[in-house]
Amino acid sequence: MYNNILTEIDIGVGIITLNRPERHNAFDDALIGELSAAIDLMAAEPAVRVLVISSTGKSFCAGADLNWMKRAAAYSADENLRDSRALAEMLRKLAQCPKPTVARVQGPAYGGGVGLVACCDVAIGTFDAEFSLTEVKLGLIPAVISPHVIAAIGERYARRYMLTAERFSAAEAYRIGLLHEMVADDEGLDEAVGEIVEALLKNGPRAMAECKALISAVAWKPLAPDVIEDTAQRITRLRASTEGREGMNAFLEKRKPNWIAQG
Ligand code: COA
């Protein structure tokens, strides 16, 4: 059982909810361990086709728990490094989860909270969501989140927001690609997340997993012969797969593919 998160599975949708609202869902070693375990379970659970990351309270996530960071600084060098690796590994698991992931962002997301949003495939936030990469203000750096944040907003905006630690609005997050959609309130958030989830549930589960692997294999690579060959091999595998055959047959036979609930 978890103490810092809530989990549920509801008709194909796994939901992990950060539940430490009194600390604005800041993550310490306990929360990181629970998140990591829950992501593993959701990734392995066949009943889960889409994973939603949400949180309780007025903030999405205040990033790393600064009491934990302070404690970790007093550990031995090995323990300190082990702790940092645990956070880096949790973010990697989320970014590389074979199921599509959706961030449901209400209120502030700071530091590692921006990292969590950046790790998800789709991110939707309310107008009052706000963001800041506060680390340098604290004499720290946004290290373990950086690959994910740079992938989401690009190097240019990473330079600005990682260096200035300015707060930026949901509108700015939307403009620079951290959020895909902005909505007025919690109700709009549920509706928008619901629409994305509905779209994802119509897609081949294996195809979506392979699609994520494709994007990470191809992104930022030069258009060299090995990349071209790799893409040809990937589609060759998929069109010969059970799921690929079923999807094409369903289209041609004007019926729903077997991964969509019939009726
Ligand atoms: N780590 C540890 N505790 C945190 C925290 C964090 N990242 N973020 C908030 N808290 C704690 C506060 O210290 C406060 O504790 P207290 O009640 O014992 O004083 C409590 O949560 C409530 O926070 P408070 O600042 O009073 O609430 P707020 O509504 O005015 O502001 C935030 C909320 C999230 C905007 C603000 O707390 C904040 O800026 N937090 C720091 C976020 C940050 O820089 N994270 C990156 C870390 S690398």
Side-chain angles (χ1 to χ4, degrees), residues 147-163:
H148 311 290
V149 173
I150 294 170
I153 68 175
E155 183 183 342
R156 191 77 184 130
Y157 284 111
R159 284 183 183 227
R160 171 167 174 175
Y161 289 117
M162 285 183 182
L163 289 172

Side-chain angles (χ1 to χ4, degrees), residues 17-226:
T17 303
L18 278 58
N19 189 29
R20 218 186 158 215
E22 70 291 351
R23 279 283 170 271
H24 296 266
N25 299 309
F27 38 74
D28 59 3
D29 44 359
L31 178 49
I32 292 165
E34 291 184 11
L35 264 178
S36 215
I39 294 166
D40 279 344
L41 285 175
M42 294 287 187
E45 171 54 59
V48 173
R49 305 250 299 268
V50 176
L51 176 59
V52 174
I53 304 291
S54 69
S55 65
T56 54
K58 66 179 192 175
S59 303
F60 176 71
C61 174
D65 184 318
L66 295 166
N67 295 307
W68 163 66
M69 290 278 242
K70 200 177 147 200
R71 268 197 322 271
Y75 294 168
S76 71
D78 277 357
E79 285 169 329
N80 193 355
L81 182 58
R82 198 182 52 216
D83 239 43
S84 308
R85 283 184 181 140
L87 176 53
E89 183 56 10
M90 183 273 286
L91 294 168
R92 184 201 62 76
K93 284 180 184 173
L94 181 59
Q96 294 186 338
C97 175
K99 319 281 169 76
T101 52
V102 183
R104 181 195 184 280
V105 187
Q106 89 293 358
Y110 285 4
V114 177
L116 275 186
V117 177
C119 284
C120 289
D121 300 313
V122 181
I124 302 174
T126 47
F127 290 136
D128 68 355
E130 60 175 32
F131 302 86
S132 181
L133 292 157
T134 55
E135 286 84 348
V136 292
K137 264 195 194 165
L138 303 161
L140 306 172
I141 52 171
V144 298
I145 64 171
S146 62
H148 311 290
V149 173
I150 294 170
I153 68 175
E155 183 183 342
R156 191 77 184 130
Y157 284 111
R159 284 183 183 227
R160 171 167 174 175
Y161 289 117
M162 285 183 182
L163 289 172
T164 63
E166 294 161 275
R167 252 187 292 167
F168 56 95
S169 64
E172 176 66 351
Y174 174 71
R175 192 181 72 82
I176 65 178
L178 183 62
L179 287 181
H180 293 107
E181 253 178 79
M182 271 185 302
V183 295
D185 49 25
D186 271 17
E187 204 177 305
L189 205 46
D190 287 334
E191 213 170 287
V193 169
E195 278 171 24
I196 294 289
V197 163
E198 200 182 316
L200 293 165
L201 288 174
K202 290 192 177 131
N203 304 333
R206 173 164 177 206
M208 290 191 292
E210 296 279 351
C211 196
K212 288 187 69 164
L214 168 73
I215 293 166
S216 58
V218 167
W220 300 344
K221 294 251 176 76
L223 195 56
D226 62 327

